[in-house]
Amino acid sequence: MNKTFSKLSTLVLGTALATSFATAGSGELEKIMKKRGLSENDIIRAAKTYLPTGGRDEFVVFSSGGQSGQMMVYSVPSMKILKYIAVFTPEPWQGYGFDEDSLKVLRQGNIRGREINWGDTHHPALSEVDGKYDGKWLVINDKANPRIGVIDLEDFETKQIVVNPVFKSAHGGAFFTQNSDYIIEACQYAAPFDNNYHPIEEYKETYRGGVTMWKFDNKEGRIHPEKSFTLELPPYMQDLSDAGKGASDGWGFTNSFNTEMYTGGIEVGMPPFEAGCSRFDTDFLHVYNWEKLAKLAKDDKNVKVVNGMRIIPMSVAVANNALFLIPEPKSPHGVDVSPDGEYIVVCGKLDTHASVYKWSKIKALIDAKAYAGKDPYGIPILDMKKSLHGQVELGLGPLHNQFSNVKGEMYTSLYVDSQIVKWNYLELKVLDKENVHYNVGHLCGMEGKSADPQGKYIISLNKLAIDRFQNVGPLHPQNHQLIDISGKTMDLLYDMPIPLGEPHQAVAIRASKLHPHVRYKMGTNTKTGKPHIGKTLAGQERIERDGNKVAVYATMVRSHINPERITVNKGDIVTMYITNLERAEDETHGFTVDNFDIHASLEPGETTELKFTADIEGVFPYYCTEFCSALHLEMMGYLMVKDPNKKYTSAQKLKMKSMSPEELKAEYDKTVAVNAATDEVIQSVVKFLKDNGYEKHPVIVDLVTDALDQYGQIKEQKAKSDEAVKAGDLEKAILFENMIWQYMVKTADVGIRAKDALVRLVATKQSTSAQRGEKAFGEGGCSGCHVIGKVSSGPDLTGVLQRHENAEKWVNNFIMNPEKMYKDPYVAGMINYFNLKMPNQHMTQEEITDIIEYFKWVEENANLF
Ligand code: RUQ
Ligand code: CUA
């Protein structure tokens, strides 16, 4: 029997379930549990994670997407995936890497002039103020091609990529310092800083590790490489890092796993790398004063510049008392600083212990210059025992740590044991263990690495999923498992397969701290945040030609692209600037020209540049790729590429019968009449909205604004239609009248949505019984013939409880046994009128009672229907 169950007394559980059965009305829950083989525990876990439609979760998680070079966004506790953020890899849906503006960001990641189109993302980090997340910026490292990507949390888009010009790989990043002044990025596999060949035999002399401190501007959200610097370190293979905070602010911590400086050589008969680099019992935790180093780096005499990067040599750092080493258990992985900055916890992959270092002890040793020795590069070593608060045996393969809101409580992943262990780093004792599936790497707490951890959940980011999911072939999904940590012991709630791997680390933030916007200022280049050079407003659409360069200034708005025909010569270089003129939320248009490998996603207000060479002759449709309205398929145009060296003979034109003037007039009149009728519907909706005070509800105001936006376009079209009538071109006038109808439909579409939403806001609250009644009314088939507020294939039921004496009883009996009442004069009359008999829908008595409650609610709100 598992833990949740034992936690709850049978009595409590019994009562809880009894109540839920009672409200479910008919033992529904019990039936489902039986049918699906669910235990009470399953139901409790489901209830803890289920998010009803339209609901919002408490936390948002940003997870690395590993080798996909992307990031994932999902929310907790429901574990719903919300977005993939393209960072180092092209992503066609978002147009990332397929339009010029995002391509510029992607190409900032070129290394030595060459395109890199993927990344191995490991560690995301959220910007901090006083060690707490401020919800503004997100950064992530690429281990394979040492780079950092910067994402703006106003729109969840990548804005900047910086390349580390001296490292050849980088794992121990990204980590913000407590006020986001710097981002730490540590090297992993040591290599020469320059770009030249150096024989491996000179590993100790010419190969180097290091830590780059990227200068970050938290207002602007950009890294400034020219104000950044790198601390040279021995080739010890630096691994993870963390920035000090609170007590240890101003300092950085980075561990390592090859202080042996072994370089392998299987092919020449040497033992493999893994054997040689884990020979010593201890490796080194690097402790450095980045605040002091940052000041030193400003002076040219303290740095040497390699590939444009300012590098502080180890000797300078040592001479200025800014760099120290402390032995740590062999081949460690994670290093994590406690919320108050006083404890630094190191976990050794090959050691069963976690080592808890105490900052005040380390600081005292540094201040007293009490060194236990020096490493071969002259870096002072502090005594391990004297720096330690203590060690705890956690289990096999401890890797990473997260903190909770309870003082002293922390959580560590055990890779080999496939467990999460909960323990107390102050009292140095283990509190609980939970099995995970399988081989957990990182774990993610809610703001669990900030100065203000929120507790509640831990997510286990497992490396293997093995038997957890439907087999989809040898490459399995990754498994993120949600664990409830609010109780005394942990409880595994949920498995989420992730088809994007391998996610290393994830960071979670309280959702209320995020404030993304839903539209851009009209004509924004979203990658710079500034007005786009190709910004085009309605009426400014044009095609400009300069030699073989063709610039198209285009707009997109439901449901047309302007222009709709573009003719160019083969070999022309075509640049398209497209602006999405929409203001309405979620009205994204996509754009592509068939066969040209370009694609843009244009969010409301966005302008994007697309560029291609029209190097093949032919006719190429272009279209909107996002199903944006009922007329989405019609949102298209033609690119026609002519070969200037070819002679084209024109095709013989078919003789088609055209409409007579009378027929045209009739069609015109009909179109105008349809528009007038549609307008009447719109006006009635407008009246309803006004009568019911829609302006008091911001959500509705937004919808109404969108609707009027569409309606406002009609005037111009009407003028054009009238002009065409005057000029005697009825054919054209009909087309403009059709356009008017399109705008009306779009207006009505949003208007009716607004009306429905308003009804729910202004109507009296439904009792639970009435709610169930409405559901039963829909599911029981009543709504097939009866529409509230309208006569349809059956009578309107608004007022049904007024129509009969003893009406509730009458309605009740009629639903229960309609056949018995077919002879009743009123019923007979209805049967005659509708030519339909009310069928027996075999409702239960409870359902009927609920439906009558629903009718009462309808009656109370009769004016709204
Ligand atoms: S890693 S599973 Cu952070 Cu790249 Cu440890
Ligand atoms: Cu715009 Cu489809």
Side-chain angles (χ1 to χ4, degrees):
M1 180 119 305
N2 53 44
K3 280 180 285 177
T4 315
F5 195 68
S6 59
K7 261 185 267 171
L8 293 157
S9 77
T10 326
L11 183 74
V12 173
L13 186 60
T15 325
L17 285 170
T19 328
S20 59
F21 289 154
T23 45
S26 52
E28 180 93 19
L29 181 58
E30 222 171 22
K31 263 192 253 161
I32 296 170
M33 285 170 69
K34 217 183 201 167
K35 202 162 131 200
R36 300 197 60 208
L38 300 174
S39 69
E40 284 87 348
N41 255 330
D42 294 331
I43 300 302
I44 290 169
R45 288 173 184 144
K48 280 184 178 177
T49 53
Y50 177 69
L51 184 66
T53 172
R56 295 289 188 281
D57 275 321
E58 196 178 351
F59 297 98
V60 174
V61 176
F62 298 94
S63 169
S64 104
Q67 303 89 321
S68 76
Q70 304 177 356
M71 294 201 65
M72 271 173 291
V73 187
Y74 61 85
S75 60
V76 163
S78 77
M79 307 297 270
K80 291 190 182 191
I81 295 184
L82 302 169
K83 197 170 215 171
Y84 290 158
I85 304 173
V87 187
F88 300 113
T89 307
E91 200 287 328
W93 177 46
Q94 298 161 28
Y96 189 73
F98 295 89
D99 70 57
E100 289 300 301
D101 303 300
S102 60
L103 203 56
K104 275 185 197 131
V105 177
L106 191 63
R107 293 294 167 246
Q108 287 172 12
N110 284 10
I111 295 183
R112 296 171 70 182
R114 296 183 316 141
E115 287 180 12
I116 307 277
N117 285 312
W118 81 291
D120 183 14
T121 63
H122 278 242
H123 306 105
L126 289 158
S127 54
E128 299 176 12
V129 172
D130 290 332
K132 296 175 192 159
Y133 296 156
D134 63 0
K136 285 168 69 181
W137 312 101
L138 174 69
V139 297
I140 186 147
N141 75 312
D142 172 5
K143 170 173 164 168
N145 323 288
R147 301 180 294 179
I148 305 268
V150 180
I151 294 138
D152 187 343
L153 292 178
E154 273 201 349
D155 61 1
F156 289 48
E157 280 195 358
T158 303
K159 306 292 165 156
Q160 185 187 26
I161 294 175
V162 293
V163 176
N164 194 312
V166 292
F167 293 168
K168 309 300 180 273
S169 84
H171 184 242
F175 300 95
F176 273 107
T177 58
Q178 75 165 18
N179 283 306
S180 305
D181 297 313
Y182 285 90
I183 299 162
I184 300 180
E185 182 192 32
C187 177
Q188 179 123 78
Y189 304 125
F193 280 172
D194 64 31
N195 292 334
N196 304 330
Y197 163 77
H198 295 270
I200 193 84
E201 289 71 25
E202 294 169 11
Y203 184 82
K204 291 173 184 159
E205 292 77 22
T206 54
Y207 287 49
R208 285 293 173 263
V211 166
T212 297
M213 299 298 298
W214 291 108
K215 180 75 187 120
F216 188 74
D217 182 330
N218 201 36
K219 270 222 178 76
E220 179 203 1
R222 295 293 184 275
I223 289 171
H224 290 275
E226 72 291 351
K227 293 184 190 159
S228 308
F229 67 94
T230 294
L231 167 63
E232 177 198 34
L233 292 174
Y236 292 161
M237 307 249 170
Q238 281 73 31
D239 197 32
L240 281 162
S241 317
D242 202 3
K245 51 169 119 46
S248 53
D249 182 33
W251 292 77
F253 307 92
T254 299
N255 50 27
S256 57
F257 63 79
N258 183 21
T259 45
E260 296 85 351
M261 295 189 277
Y262 186 61
T263 55
I266 296 187
E267 67 298 324
V268 293
M270 296 288 286
F273 188 77
E274 58 176 316
C277 71
S278 49
R279 206 170 90 208
F280 298 167
D281 278 341
T282 54
D283 283 298
F284 284 129
L285 174 66
H286 304 64
V287 179
Y288 42 94
N289 187 335
W290 61 258
E291 206 163 35
K292 193 188 265 181
L293 293 167
K295 283 187 197 125
L296 291 172
K298 287 189 180 135
D299 192 336
D300 284 346
K301 75 172 195 296
N302 294 323
V303 299
K304 57 177 196 225
V305 178
V306 180
N307 296 340
M309 169 63 80
R310 296 174 79 78
I311 293 175
I312 303 184
M314 291 182 259
S315 55
V316 173
V318 169
N320 286 281
N321 297 315
L323 174 61
F324 306 89
L325 300 171
I326 311 178
E328 55 185 3
K330 71 158 123 189
S331 304
H333 194 36
V335 49
D336 297 284
V337 177
S338 65
D340 60 1
E342 181 57 19
Y343 297 87
I344 299 120
V345 184
V346 172
C347 286
K349 304 191 288 287
L350 300 182
D351 184 87
T352 53
H353 294 86
S355 303
V356 185
Y357 293 88
K358 194 163 183 184
W359 174 245
S360 51
K361 288 186 171 183
I362 296 173
K363 190 70 191 354
L365 292 173
I366 289 173
D367 289 344
K369 299 204 169 156
Y371 307 143
K374 282 190 172 172
D375 86 332
Y377 295 91
I379 306 172
I381 301 171
L382 308 180
D383 185 79
M384 179 172 172
K385 276 220 184 82
K386 288 184 189 153
S387 323
L388 276 174
H389 167 62
Q391 289 181 309
V392 194
E393 169 131 19
L394 296 181
L396 292 178
L399 293 185
H400 296 287
N401 308 298
Q402 290 280 313
F403 299 89
S404 89
N405 54 332
V406 180
K407 197 170 163 53
E409 188 177 293
M410 73 184 294
Y411 294 80
T412 300
S413 51
L414 301 179
Y415 178 82
V416 180
D417 277 342
S418 289
Q419 284 182 324
I420 301 291
V421 51
K422 168 182 175 176
W423 58 290
N424 188 305
Y425 63 89
L426 297 174
E427 292 161 19
L428 302 171
K429 62 174 192 224
V430 170
L431 303 170
D432 185 33
K433 287 187 179 183
E434 176 77 33
N435 292 333
V436 295
H437 313 87
Y438 300 91
N439 299 86
V440 51
H442 276 271
L443 70 180
C444 168
M446 303 301 108
E447 307 195 356
K449 277 285 302 283
S450 73
D452 185 25
Q454 302 290 305
K456 293 197 174 187
Y457 306 101
I458 284 283
I459 304 161
S460 174
L461 284 67
N462 307 321
K463 301 297 182 192
L464 275 70
I466 308 188
D467 55 5
R468 287 295 106 171
F469 307 112
Q470 169 64 38
N471 187 351
V472 290
L475 179 63
H476 288 32
Q478 305 282 313
N479 188 8
H480 282 201
Q481 291 184 302
L482 182 71
I483 297 168
D484 182 353
I485 59 163
S486 58
K488 226 175 140 156
T489 54
M490 291 175 272
D491 185 38
L492 180 65
L493 296 177
Y494 194 82
D495 282 13
M496 174 169 69
I498 290 184
L500 198 69
E502 163 208 346
H504 290 265
Q505 165 67 314
V507 286
I509 184 171
R510 199 165 266 291
S512 57
K513 286 189 180 176
L514 297 171
H515 307 286
H517 51 220
V518 297
R519 62 178 71 80
Y520 296 102
K521 252 200 192 146
M522 192 53 71
T524 301
N525 177 340
T526 69
K527 305 304 173 291
T528 62
K530 306 205 171 90
H532 200 290
I533 50 159
K535 168 178 172 180
T536 309
L537 298 179
Q540 299 175 345
E541 299 89 350
R542 64 201 182 273
I543 300 175
E544 290 173 357
R545 175 177 280 283
D546 175 12
N548 69 339
K549 292 194 182 70
V550 179
V552 182
Y553 294 83
T555 60
M556 292 178 90
V557 72
R558 276 162 295 167
S559 309
H560 52 265
I561 303 168
N562 188 349
E564 292 185 330
R565 299 173 211 168
I566 303 169
T567 309
V568 300
N569 289 323
K570 187 176 154 185
D572 281 352
I573 297 162
V574 183
T575 306
M576 294 196 69
Y577 299 103
I578 309 174
T579 301
N580 178 354
L581 295 176
E582 305 282 353
R583 302 309 295 143
E585 182 167 351
D586 205 15
E587 276 303 340
T588 291
H589 298 289
F591 182 87
T592 188
V593 182
D594 292 4
N595 302 179
F596 279 92
D597 198 34
I598 49 168
H599 184 238
S601 171
L602 294 130
E603 280 71 69
E606 177 172 356
T607 299
T608 284
E609 176 184 341
L610 288 161
K611 201 172 188 170
F612 59 94
T613 304
D615 51 0
I616 43 174
E617 180 195 343
V619 173
F620 306 94
Y622 52 82
Y623 68 98
C624 169
T625 57
E626 195 82 20
F627 209 109
C628 51
S629 74
L631 276 266
H632 150 77
L633 295 180
E634 290 76 353
M635 199 166 177
M636 60 85 63
Y638 284 108
L639 169 77
M640 286 156 292
V641 185
K642 287 196 293 196
D643 185 339
N645 301 317
K646 231 168 147 181
K647 263 214 148 147
Y648 297 95
T649 48
S650 56
Q652 231 188 341
K653 297 219 168 130
L654 291 175
K655 287 230 159 36
M656 303 273 238
K657 185 183 169 287
S658 52
M659 275 176 142
S660 71
E662 294 73 33
E663 284 168 327
L664 272 176
K665 177 76 174 57
E667 189 185 345
Y668 172 80
D669 289 344
K670 198 178 102 196
T671 314
V672 170
V674 167
N675 284 353
T678 313
D679 199 36
E680 232 170 82
V681 175
I682 291 173
Q683 294 315 323
S684 75
V685 173
V686 169
K687 181 168 183 307
F688 175 89
L689 291 168
K690 283 191 181 152
D691 289 351
N692 287 287
Y694 82 90
E695 26 355 289
K696 283 181 279 203
H697 311 280
V699 194
I700 314 280
V701 171
D702 277 356
L703 286 170
V704 172
T705 313
D706 285 354
L708 294 182
D709 225 38
Q710 295 294 323
Y711 197 75
Q713 317 274 348
I714 290 174
K715 220 172 119 194
E716 196 190 324
Q717 302 293 322
K718 188 71 194 164
K720 287 183 183 162
S721 165
D722 292 348
E723 217 173 275
V725 173
K726 249 193 235 146
D729 190 348
L730 274 189
E731 188 121 36
K732 204 169 169 189
I734 291 168
L735 291 171
F736 281 120
E737 288 298 329
N738 272 329
M739 193 58 229
I740 291 171
W741 188 74
Q742 295 301 349
Y743 281 122
M744 286 180 165
V745 170
K746 284 164 204 158
T747 306
D749 177 37
V750 187
I752 288 168
R753 227 185 294 156
K755 183 184 171 207
D756 287 349
L758 187 60
V759 165
R760 291 289 153 176
L761 285 172
V762 299
T764 55
K765 213 174 158 315
Q766 277 185 339
S767 66
T768 27
S769 167
Q771 271 174 28
R772 286 195 307 264
E774 181 169 8
K775 196 167 159 241
F777 186 80
E779 288 174 1
C782 315
S783 57
C785 294
H786 300 283
V787 178
I788 302 293
K790 261 198 207 102
V791 177
S792 122
S793 6
D796 180 10
L797 295 179
T798 324
V800 67
L801 297 177
Q802 313 288 330
R803 292 207 274 266
H804 307 275
E805 208 158 313
N806 250 333
E808 280 185 41
K809 198 161 164 249
W810 191 97
V811 172
N812 192 83
N813 294 344
F814 189 45
I815 300 176
M816 189 65 94
N817 285 309
E819 312 84 349
K820 286 195 185 156
M821 289 163 73
Y822 287 161
K823 295 255 159 64
D824 170 295
Y826 175 82
V827 176
M830 287 289 149
I831 291 174
N832 188 25
Y833 180 83
F834 287 100
N835 200 14
L836 257 180
K837 283 183 185 143
M838 159 96 166
N840 190 331
Q841 299 293 82
H842 304 284
M843 298 268 180
T844 63
Q845 182 54 56
E846 285 110 50
E847 283 168 333
I848 297 175
T849 310
D850 288 340
I851 287 175
I852 291 172
E853 281 310 302
Y854 169 57
F855 287 160
K856 285 188 198 159
W857 176 83
V858 168
E859 209 133 299
E860 273 167 32
N861 296 286
N863 60 319
L864 299 176
F865 295 103

